[in-house]
Amino acid sequence: MRQLEEMPLTVSSPPESIAPQPPSGPRVRVGKLCVAVQGSTPRELIARAESALNDSTFIELRLDSLPKPAAVLADLKAFLSRRRDVAAIATCRRKAFGGQFVGSLNSELEILLKAAEAGCQIVDLEVESAEQATRPQLARFRAALRAGGTALLVSSHDFSRTRRPDGLLETARQIAAFEPEFVKVVGTARSLADNLSILRMVEELSPSAQVVGIAMGEEGLLSRILSLRAGAAFTFAAAGEGIETAPGQVSAHTLLDLYRLDQIDKATRIYGVAGNPIAHSLSPRMHTTAFRRENVNAVLLPLRPRSIDDLLTVIRELPLEGVAVTMPFKQEVLPYLANQDALTARIGACNTLRTGADGKLYGFNTDVAGVVRPLERRMRLAGARILVLGAGGAARAAVFGLVEQGAEVFVANRTHEKAVALARKAKAHVLKHAALAKNRFDAIVNTTPCGMTGVKQPLPIEADALNAALVFDTVYTPLETPLLKLAKARGLAVISGVEMFVQQGARQFEIWTGKPAPESEMQRVVELELRRRAQ
Ligand code: NAP
């Protein structure tokens, strides 16, 4: 079982700037990763809590996910007395404030006290309920918790936005007025920049308070991972995929395995892969594996920027060391580059950014290496006759890159005029589809989406026009495309799109780290992941 570093926390110490120091409060030991657990029955809740312990012994029990939260208390007590190594937060958030509990404030306070008696070391009370409670009611609640050695966490959840740092600090001040041992401020990210607001708030408060700061939603991933190094007491994860308790929550396994949560420190270099959509990008898996393999203290996180400005803000202010850029930002990023390699400028698309020591952005197009490297390992490119099918972004990288290597390149595209324009710009030739069967090539490269899972047209070229020794399909879902199957059946050599993906990534790795990339390991994990997804 993997465990994040456990640290003793002296609780009851909100910062003087936020709230007066309360009398010495309970001491609890918690880890850095709290796994949030919900269940529709007491049995399911406890079973999920048990299995969450594989990732962390610090869990949050969402009692409000149960139709009758009180029904779990006996089992909870038995579980926590059996597992004395577990630290648990009890939460019974009311429906009006983002939870599922339909009972009154009194019932919520009563259940939380009983959960504390059952062995939960922390109880979470939403700030709205704290505000609704009368002073004597809250004082009795606090006194009962303290008497039992239970810490109080007061939380605020904004399900529509993330306020600027000043606004978040104001919320933290409202929370601190209740003298909790933990202050939790949660917003909803509508942009990557919202993560910066959360991180600034955590940085500001953490020297003097036990603070948790998160932005919910897909765009808020950065805050879930990086708030720890900003000084947050802990962060939250889901117990598994499909059982998240908040929007954008990521499973504990993913946080640890894919995003290296337990290894990130102040020296960790942060990279990103930016695009929209981005959730299914293979780049985090491929690059994290490479970083790990080569002992590079770095991580690559998926970023869904709201706009190019949003991306540039987070690159500058986080800061990010480098970014793999995908659609729709490959062209949009060009005006912001301090410098770019000659091919990137001619292709008019940049898929890799590196931030220089001067803070300026340098641009590269590694899709070129993705096409050129696999081919040059199998044939001499100077003088080779190569047919490129398609005239879009991938075709541009292929055509410019291969022409630069001295190949004689022919372009054929559904929209013929686009092939003509590309060929003219890159000093290549153009062919109509009807003429393909009459020609012979050393290699054929497909850069159209034909054959991709979900695309109706399986082949970009007639079978009798496959007049080449080698066929390279840039499509990689499925792993073996109809075009590759056909080529193999005809005894031709083939290159899969996975190799292109890995080689463009290997070049990125080299640009970012200055080290040779562990290519075969990168290829292995990408293929493994694609097979897993295809099941
Ligand atoms: P793009 O800019 O949209 O260009 C797509 C090209 O394919 C266009 O020339 C288009 O022709 C043509 N096309 C589209 N549907 C077609 C069809 N049904 N029949 C014939 N031609 C068709 O896209 P892209 O960025 O170049 O990406 C294209 C493919 O390359 C992707 O699907 C992806 O699988 C692959 N790719 C792979 C990697 C990798 O790392 N392995 C990297 C990038 C891209 P029109 O001009 O007539 O529209």
Side-chain angles (χ1 to χ4, degrees):
M1 180 172 69
R2 205 145 29 134
Q3 278 300 307
L4 284 177
E5 170 203 356
E6 285 213 343
M7 58 181 295
L9 295 173
T10 307
V11 291
S12 275
S13 54
E16 282 183 22
S17 60
I18 290 184
Q21 182 104 352
S24 65
R27 290 173 68 89
V28 296
R29 281 181 76 86
V30 295
K32 290 282 184 189
L33 178 60
C34 182
V35 184
V37 182
Q38 60 174 334
S40 52
T41 63
R43 183 191 286 255
E44 187 176 54
L45 187 79
I46 298 294
R48 285 186 179 160
E50 293 264 15
S51 72
L53 302 182
N54 290 325
D55 293 311
S56 174
T57 50
F58 184 23
I59 54 175
E60 179 191 31
L61 297 155
R62 288 296 303 260
L63 304 181
D64 56 319
S65 62
L66 298 168
K68 289 185 183 156
V72 78
L73 292 168
D75 289 349
L76 181 59
K77 188 171 183 178
F79 167 63
L80 291 175
S81 42
R82 196 169 68 246
R83 290 297 305 252
R84 298 222 168 256
D85 55 330
V86 171
I89 302 176
T91 302
C92 194
R93 192 164 303 138
R94 287 192 287 158
K95 204 160 187 156
F97 310 124
Q100 295 178 64
F101 184 55
V102 287
S104 65
L105 170 64
N106 265 339
S107 315
E108 179 186 3
L109 295 178
E110 194 182 321
I111 287 164
L112 290 177
L113 282 180
K114 286 189 174 153
E117 280 165 27
C120 291
Q121 291 89 334
I122 303 172
V123 298
D124 175 332
L125 184 66
E126 60 277 9
V127 68
E128 296 88 344
S129 289
E131 279 164 351
Q132 275 182 7
T134 61
R135 272 173 167 266
Q137 195 177 19
L138 204 60
R140 279 197 303 277
F141 181 66
R142 294 292 283 123
L145 289 179
R146 286 220 173 103
T150 307
L152 175 66
L153 179 154
V154 175
S155 60
S156 160
H157 294 80
D158 187 333
F159 290 91
S160 64
R161 62 174 177 158
T162 300
R163 302 173 75 190
R164 310 287 303 163
D166 282 356
L168 294 171
L169 286 167
E170 191 185 307
T171 303
R173 250 175 241 120
Q174 284 162 2
I175 289 176
F178 297 104
E179 301 186 0
E181 282 74 49
F182 294 95
V183 173
K184 179 182 171 192
V185 181
V186 177
T188 295
R190 298 280 175 230
S191 65
L192 293 179
D194 283 341
N195 292 279
L196 299 171
S197 298
I198 292 281
L199 297 176
R200 299 295 167 259
M201 174 207 62
V202 170
E203 274 164 6
E204 175 101 13
L205 295 186
S206 58
S208 49
Q210 306 298 336
V211 60
V212 175
I214 284 172
M216 294 184 287
E218 187 183 341
E219 288 88 344
L221 179 70
L222 286 174
S223 69
R224 291 187 179 277
I225 296 167
L226 299 180
S227 64
L228 286 185
R229 87 172 179 174
F234 54 86
T235 188
F236 284 89
E241 277 169 32
I243 47 173
E244 298 82 7
T245 65
Q249 207 176 59
V250 176
S251 78
H253 179 75
T254 301
L255 281 185
L256 292 165
D257 182 49
L258 190 55
Y259 303 137
R260 310 187 81 180
L261 189 82
D262 49 347
Q263 289 157 25
I264 291 177
D265 56 24
K266 296 268 185 215
T268 305
R269 288 187 273 161
I270 311 296
Y271 295 88
V273 53
N276 191 3
I278 202 62
H280 297 291
S281 170
L282 291 161
S283 293
R285 171 70 57 201
M286 176 171 70
H287 282 293
T288 302
T289 302
F291 290 141
R292 222 182 236 133
R293 185 64 176 239
E294 295 304 308
N295 290 320
V296 178
N297 183 4
V299 67
L300 182 131
L301 306 174
L303 312 169
R304 194 174 70 176
R306 187 171 154 165
S307 62
I308 186 69
D309 282 348
D310 190 29
L311 176 60
L312 294 168
T313 301
V314 88
I315 290 175
R316 189 178 58 243
E317 292 186 24
L318 199 57
L320 291 167
E321 302 276 335
V323 178
V325 183
T326 68
M327 300 311 291
F329 300 108
K330 283 185 178 186
Q331 285 87 31
E332 281 189 56
V333 80
L334 291 173
Y336 304 97
L337 303 178
N339 206 348
Q340 54 196 297
D341 58 20
L343 264 188
T344 303
R346 280 168 52 212
I347 293 167
C350 163
N351 80 327
T352 306
L353 298 175
R354 182 170 61 77
T355 309
D358 53 5
K360 291 181 177 163
L361 280 183
Y362 296 87
F364 305 84
N365 188 314
T366 72
D367 285 333
V368 172
V371 176
V372 168
R373 284 182 179 185
L375 282 170
E376 70 186 1
R377 286 173 185 181
R378 291 163 170 94
M379 64 172 62
R380 194 180 132 76
L381 287 177
R385 286 168 59 87
I386 300 180
L387 170 65
V388 174
L389 299 166
R396 292 175 72 79
V399 173
F400 277 98
L402 293 169
V403 168
E404 191 192 51
Q405 295 299 316
E408 194 179 357
V409 179
F410 299 82
V411 187
N413 188 46
R414 179 175 63 181
T415 309
H416 186 64
E417 303 77 61
K418 284 198 201 163
V420 172
L422 172 55
R424 187 174 297 145
K425 215 173 161 198
K427 297 195 171 53
H429 309 284
V430 65
L431 278 176
K432 289 199 167 165
H433 274 278
L436 297 183
K438 286 181 248 153
N439 280 275
R440 178 136 194 102
F441 306 99
D442 295 299
I444 295 174
V445 183
N446 171 43
T447 70
T448 77
C450 296
M452 192 162 92
T453 309
V455 174
K456 280 204 181 104
Q457 201 172 330
L459 291 176
I461 185 169
E462 299 294 323
D464 61 5
L466 276 185
N467 297 328
L470 186 151
V471 174
F472 183 171
D473 197 349
T474 65
V475 174
Y476 56 82
T477 48
L479 265 172
E480 190 170 55
T481 62
L483 178 63
L484 293 186
K485 269 190 190 150
L486 179 67
K488 272 186 188 170
R490 296 185 145 224
L492 309 180
V494 296
I495 301 175
S496 133
V498 172
E499 200 172 326
M500 173 177 176
F501 180 71
V502 169
Q503 285 303 327
Q504 62 81 29
R507 178 77 192 109
Q508 288 175 330
F509 183 91
E510 291 159 11
I511 289 167
W512 290 334
T513 68
K515 293 179 170 211
E519 292 172 12
S520 49
E521 182 62 4
M522 290 162 82
Q523 174 116 3
R524 189 186 68 77
V525 291
V526 170
E527 284 182 5
L528 200 70
E529 182 61 18
L530 285 170
R531 282 204 187 89
R532 192 187 67 82
R533 290 182 188 183
Q535 280 168 4

